[in-house]
Amino acid sequence: QVQLLESGGGLVQPGGSLRLSCAASERTFSTYTMGWFRQVPGNEREFVAAIRWRGGATSYGDSMKGRFTISTDNAMNAVYLQMNNLRTEDTAVYYCAYGPYAILSSMARQDAYRYWGQGTQVTVSS
């Protein structure tokens, strides 16, 4: 069973930055996709960003484009989310996800991922 360990959440002021990290305990898939989703209590889980190993294709949610950057460290089975110019509406629990190779149009779908982390809280507030 793959375990995903997230870190980097916390409290930041509007306009600030945070970097989330997620490490997978093992590489189950020879080619894989890793992503981030977020959820506010009472709302559906929302796609944030995803990256595909081998080629590095990326996908972003509309409100994250230009502010968030996703990257991987293939040797470490890890994915990172650099979040800049944070807004109060970015406040949520952020979840890391890991799954097999996904076509670009599927990377934003939750059912493309097989394993999920426990989540890390990001709070943007003055």
Side-chain angles (χ1 to χ4, degrees):
Q1 181 79 0
V2 176
Q3 294 184 335
L4 302 178
L5 181 61
E6 300 137 326
S7 61
L11 173 64
V12 64
Q13 292 185 342
S17 298
L18 279 177
R19 185 175 187 246
L20 305 183
S21 301
C22 173
S25 58
E26 59 186 276
R27 180 177 294 181
T28 299
F29 310 109
S30 57
T31 57
Y32 59 87
T33 304
M34 295 189 79
W36 291 94
F37 291 74
R38 67 187 186 186
Q39 189 169 25
V40 175
N43 290 1
E44 292 187 356
R45 193 166 292 187
E46 177 186 23
F47 172 69
V48 175
I51 188 166
R52 192 171 60 200
W53 184 71
R54 183 168 290 177
T58 58
S59 179
Y60 293 92
D62 288 340
S63 67
M64 296 79 178
K65 293 177 182 177
R67 299 188 301 125
F68 292 8
T69 303
I70 190 169
S71 60
T72 60
D73 181 338
N74 293 322
M76 299 295 293
N77 297 335
V79 64
Y80 309 98
L81 184 68
Q82 178 65 42
M83 304 185 294
N84 298 328
N85 193 20
L86 284 161
R87 307 166 180 167
T88 55
E89 54 264 38
D90 293 319
T91 296
V93 177
Y94 284 70
Y95 295 92
C96 176
Y98 173 66
Y101 179 93
I103 60 175
L104 196 59
S105 61
S106 296
M107 291 168 69
R109 294 178 50 167
Q110 295 185 51
D111 61 6
Y113 302 88
R114 195 170 300 178
Y115 300 101
W116 293 81
Q118 294 298 307
T120 184
Q121 177 71 46
V122 171
T123 302
V124 184
S125 175
S126 55

